[in-house]
Amino acid sequence: ISTILVDDDDYYREAVSTELDYLGFRVTAFPSGEPMLAHLQESNEAEVIVLDWKLQTGLGIDLLPLLQERGIRLPVVFLTGSPAVAAEYAALDLGAVDFVDKARGIAILAKRLRMIVESHRAPTRSDGSSASGPEPIQRGKLTLHTDIARAYWDGVDLELTLTEFKIVFLLVSRAGEYVTYRGVYDCVRYSGFVAGNGEDGFRTNVRSSIKRIRNKFRQLDDGFSEIENYAAFGYRWHGAAAGVG
């Protein structure tokens, strides 16, 4: 997996590059965003970009619009040594696909990168589905391709992040019944993980994710109302779950 890494800590950058290389990645590393952007203008071999959240030249998130302006549509994963819920919201809102705490270790980072890259590079048919993968899940205007983690509304790619796709798939697979806030959060984190302040801090994270998902649907369909909320409990996808396997 061809990977771009941007981190201004020389020791950490070398350590991550070495370990990822050992795990089968081909890493091209940079200390700041400017040489990374110049490299990507000359080469199209990269499959994923890993950005440190805080760089000496500014925040890694400031590079997202610069990548988009240059037509670079690679999936972006942020690394941080001091995770903050607000920072994670901001990164995902601007199009990042994941936000990883450095303390989780390189093995976890590598696993997430593999999942992200494999979902983006799977060979596809003209309808967006994998040439050898399972049949897509169809619910009204919604089509879910689980093999490549892609969701389409009335034939148009919703451009969901991996996290957003997991949430939509969970709701659709249990359509007609409410999924708790905890259940939604656990599907993209792990059971018992708590983010934010207080015992129910994860609720804020879930609300923000659902808001982003709804906004992506409504950009394509002003009347979208399939995701329903049960106040203080959770969310559901309207309708029955028949046909989802």
Side-chain angles (χ1 to χ4, degrees), residues 115-216:
M115 291 174 60
I116 290 165
V117 170
E118 286 170 6
S119 74
H120 278 74
R121 73 181 183 187
T124 58
R125 304 186 185 99
S126 60
D127 65 353
S129 61
S130 171
S132 59
E135 287 297 313
I137 294 167
Q138 189 75 43
R139 288 210 55 79
K141 294 182 179 181
L142 178 67
T143 305
L144 297 177
H145 294 287
T146 57
D147 51 342
I148 56 173
R150 287 285 191 278
Y152 296 80
W153 184 256
D154 205 14
V156 180
D157 193 341
L158 285 157
E159 298 186 2
L160 299 181
T161 66
L162 184 60
T163 293
E164 292 165 352
F165 180 87
K166 288 180 179 179
I167 292 173
V168 171
F169 177 76
L170 173 66
L171 296 178
V172 169
S173 66
R174 296 175 57 180
E177 63 178 282
Y178 283 97
V179 180
T180 65
Y181 282 93
R182 181 76 259 180
V184 173
Y185 198 72
D186 285 349
C187 90
V188 294
R189 291 294 186 176
Y190 57 87
S191 182
F193 183 90
V194 176
N197 298 318
E199 186 175 331
D200 291 332
F202 59 86
R203 290 175 182 263
T204 301
N205 193 300
V206 170
R207 291 190 190 99
S208 179
S209 295
I210 293 293
K211 181 179 179 180
R212 287 195 303 271
I213 291 169
R214 280 174 167 162
N215 285 341
K216 289 185 177 182

Side-chain angles (χ1 to χ4, degrees), residues 221-235:
D221 185 346
D222 290 339
F224 176 79
S225 60
E226 295 300 304
I227 298 177
E228 302 174 338
N229 176 238
Y230 190 134
F233 183 79
Y235 296 89

Side-chain angles (χ1 to χ4, degrees), residues 38-125:
H39 173 80
L40 288 174
Q41 288 294 107
E42 299 297 326
S43 172
N44 62 357
E45 294 181 356
E47 296 176 276
V48 64
I49 299 172
V50 181
L51 297 179
D52 189 19
W53 181 254
K54 290 184 179 180
L55 299 168
Q56 290 182 3
T57 54
L59 293 178
I61 195 173
D62 295 335
L63 295 172
L64 288 180
L66 298 180
L67 289 166
Q68 293 165 2
E69 287 172 7
R70 289 163 172 76
I72 299 169
R73 306 298 180 188
L74 296 173
V76 175
V77 175
F78 278 100
L79 285 175
T80 179
S82 52
V85 174
E88 185 172 356
Y89 291 162
L92 296 176
D93 280 340
L94 285 178
V97 299
D98 210 345
F99 195 90
V100 182
D101 183 352
K102 290 181 178 180
R104 301 295 298 279
I106 307 305
I108 289 295
L109 173 63
K111 185 175 181 63
R112 292 191 180 184
L113 292 178
R114 287 189 189 282
M115 291 174 60
I116 290 165
V117 170
E118 286 170 6
S119 74
H120 278 74
R121 73 181 183 187
T124 58
R125 304 186 185 99

